[in-house]
Amino acid sequence: MNRRSFLKHGLQLGGAAVTVPALAFQDEKSNLKITGVRIVQPRAKRPLPAYTPAPGSWSTGGVEVANPMSIYPQYKATRSLWNPDPGKLEGFTVEISTDKGVKGYGSGGTGGGPVVEQHLVKLLIGQNPFNIERIWDILYRSTMPYGQAGIAINAISGVDLALWDLVGKALNVPVYQLLGGATKDRIPSYCTGNDFDQHLKFGYKRLKIAIPYGPADGYEGQKKNVELVKHTRAMLGPDGDIMLDCYMAWNEQYTIEMAGLVEPYRVYWMEECLQPRDYEGFGRIRAAIKSTRIATGEHEYTRYAFRQLLDHRGADIWQPDIHWCGGLTELRRIAALAAAYDIPVIPHVGGSFDCIHFGYATPNSPWAETFMPPPGGPEIIYKRFEEDNHVTRGPEGIYVRPSDRPGFGWDIDVS
């Protein structure tokens, strides 16, 4: 029997015709139409008490962290001096609703909300939300005249995530099942931030240091960076992993020098040492540094940027952000490109409620980045952190996994 006959008549088994069952996507659950798109303010259904973090904790935000504006003294002390003021040009959450009452929620990066409201809405209304690939392509092509990176891609990211959430809810399955299911029982995680006592007590064995100093601080700053790494290694012991978050603050010479200075403390990777899109520079530092790995990608947008990073052999580890790179649809393409070259993809904020579904379902995404609530809060704060992230403990320290609720598993109200 040829293929055409098989598809027409079904496979004959024991004299009875057995037809191939229709895919779940082909029933009435997928026959939806987008009827509404709006920016919303989410709030937890189970709100946590407010508290003041412990004095002196890194998470209070008053601690200096190296950044691309560190070369200007008036902006050096904190990011709040040069970032948009609170309430202005923020990230956003979008709600997409359908004619059958199914809704999805997605978050995107800085400034994307107005693009959704003032442009993308008209391209979404009337579409079938199951056509995620088609919708992504329409949105990307329509924003080409004013942005293949930054705010336009932030907008697409939030919409894309809302569609995945919606489809999961329509089919009553978690998003990771839509991606092909689990590739691991749980995901080893690391913690970012310099409240090391808290993180070690909680059980982390992988710590990422927010580096405080860069070239503007001269040799004294270098020495202080090295002392911080040395101190962290002493606290962690010989077997855990240390990573350095340099947040676009260094240059090539400084990076190469720092790699040599921290080599005795076995740093697993150095992250975002240079400014985004300096692909040639990343290629040069990766070729020069053999004592650690080079990681970057948090501020790169779409697979086209990562193709440039690949062409220049600029990073050992890729770190796209699901809320900025183009959403889950584009993150999967980036990961597929990386997989062909055995490059791990460890997304920025990969332990977030949405991105963790990607890590759970993706073989070349081995770790998840997490951020603990600041120290000094009531016990319920940290208990809820464990519950929401499905925290378990084991040989690699802290492990997390996604929710099994439909979609991304959001437990929110919106207004």
Side-chain angles (χ1 to χ4, degrees):
M1 181 181 291
N2 62 32
R3 178 176 178 270
R4 182 172 297 176
S5 297
F6 172 83
L7 294 173
K8 182 176 180 181
H9 300 294
L11 180 63
Q12 298 291 326
L13 292 178
V18 180
T19 57
V20 179
L23 294 172
F25 281 55
Q26 295 173 329
D27 64 18
E28 69 280 357
K29 294 179 181 179
S30 64
N31 187 22
L32 302 178
K33 182 183 292 185
I34 295 173
T35 55
V37 180
R38 64 175 183 142
I39 303 301
V40 297
Q41 297 297 322
R43 59 186 183 277
K45 286 186 175 180
R46 298 186 298 159
L48 289 165
Y51 69 98
T52 300
S57 65
W58 179 83
S59 303
T60 58
V63 179
E64 184 171 347
V65 176
N67 63 75
M69 293 286 279
S70 293
I71 63 172
Y72 298 104
Q74 66 267 42
Y75 301 117
K76 187 175 185 294
T78 65
R79 295 184 197 178
S80 62
L81 293 172
W82 54 270
N83 272 327
D85 291 332
K88 298 180 180 179
L89 208 63
E90 294 185 317
F92 69 96
T93 299
V94 61
E95 175 191 85
I96 298 180
S97 54
T98 64
D99 57 342
K100 301 293 177 61
V102 185
K103 297 178 179 179
Y105 297 94
S107 296
T110 300
V115 176
V116 175
E117 292 180 304
Q118 298 174 39
H119 181 189
L120 305 187
V121 168
K122 76 172 189 177
L123 302 171
L124 292 166
I125 297 297
Q127 296 278 356
N128 184 332
F130 275 71
N131 295 334
I132 293 176
E133 289 281 354
R134 181 177 189 271
I135 291 172
W136 196 98
D137 197 52
I138 288 171
L139 300 185
Y140 182 70
R141 290 172 181 270
S142 73
T143 55
M144 279 183 179
Y146 62 87
Q148 298 88 50
I151 287 176
I153 304 301
N154 289 349
I156 294 171
S157 299
V159 169
D160 183 74
L161 290 168
L163 293 173
W164 281 99
D165 186 48
L166 194 159
V167 170
K169 290 174 179 175
L171 298 177
N172 199 35
V173 297
V175 168
Y176 73 80
Q177 291 287 6
L178 300 176
L179 303 179
T183 60
K184 47 189 81 76
D185 293 331
R186 53 185 182 168
I187 309 173
S189 69
Y190 69 90
C191 195
T192 293
N194 295 5
D195 291 318
F196 307 127
D197 287 329
Q198 178 201 31
H199 303 163
L200 290 170
K201 182 178 179 181
F202 190 77
Y204 283 100
K205 294 184 179 180
R206 292 189 173 103
L207 305 176
K208 187 162 77 177
I209 303 170
I211 289 294
Y213 304 110
D217 301 291
Y219 183 59
E220 288 302 312
Q222 276 190 323
K223 289 195 296 183
K224 291 177 182 178
N225 283 340
V226 174
E227 283 301 313
L228 181 59
V229 175
K230 179 181 179 181
H231 173 70
T232 307
R233 173 54 72 193
M235 294 179 68
L236 182 60
D239 296 327
D241 291 312
I242 292 173
M243 291 75 73
L244 309 185
D245 188 348
C246 310
Y247 200 65
M248 306 175 284
W250 293 359
N251 57 38
E252 291 181 44
Q253 180 180 345
Y254 192 93
T255 299
I256 293 169
E257 290 174 357
M258 281 300 306
L261 291 169
V262 301
E263 183 174 357
Y265 310 110
R266 199 171 60 79
V267 169
Y268 191 84
W269 78 56
M270 300 199 311
E271 172 180 328
E272 269 204 314
C273 302
L274 309 179
Q275 296 179 20
R277 285 164 289 288
D278 183 5
Y279 305 116
E280 292 85 356
F282 274 105
R284 287 189 292 267
I285 64 170
R286 182 170 176 254
I289 295 170
K290 306 301 180 184
S291 59
T292 187
R293 300 161 187 83
I294 299 300
T296 196
E298 171 183 341
H299 293 99
E300 299 291 352
Y301 299 86
T302 78
R303 61 194 181 275
Y304 300 112
F306 285 89
R307 186 175 66 186
Q308 289 290 322
L309 198 60
L310 178 67
D311 288 346
H312 290 87
R313 300 183 179 183
D316 301 281
I317 296 165
W318 290 1
Q319 300 174 304
D321 187 304
I322 198 171
H323 308 104
W324 305 340
C325 74
L328 179 55
T329 299
E330 191 70 353
L331 178 55
R332 295 180 74 201
R333 297 176 182 137
I334 292 166
L337 178 62
Y341 294 86
D342 294 323
I343 297 172
V345 175
I346 305 178
H348 177 241
V349 297
S352 58
F353 221 66
D354 41 19
C355 193
I356 196 169
H357 287 260
F358 163 83
Y360 199 51
T362 305
N364 63 318
S365 186
W367 297 355
E369 180 181 28
T370 53
F371 295 79
M372 280 198 70
E379 188 61 31
I380 184 63
I381 298 290
Y382 311 103
K383 181 178 179 182
R384 185 74 61 79
F385 174 79
E386 293 203 35
E387 290 176 0
D388 289 347
N389 293 283
H390 303 277
V391 167
T392 55
R393 291 166 173 81
E396 296 184 69
I398 298 299
Y399 300 76
V400 293
R401 69 180 305 277
S403 168
D404 286 319
R405 295 193 296 266
F408 288 121
W410 297 116
D411 189 23
I412 57 174
D413 291 317
V414 299
S415 57

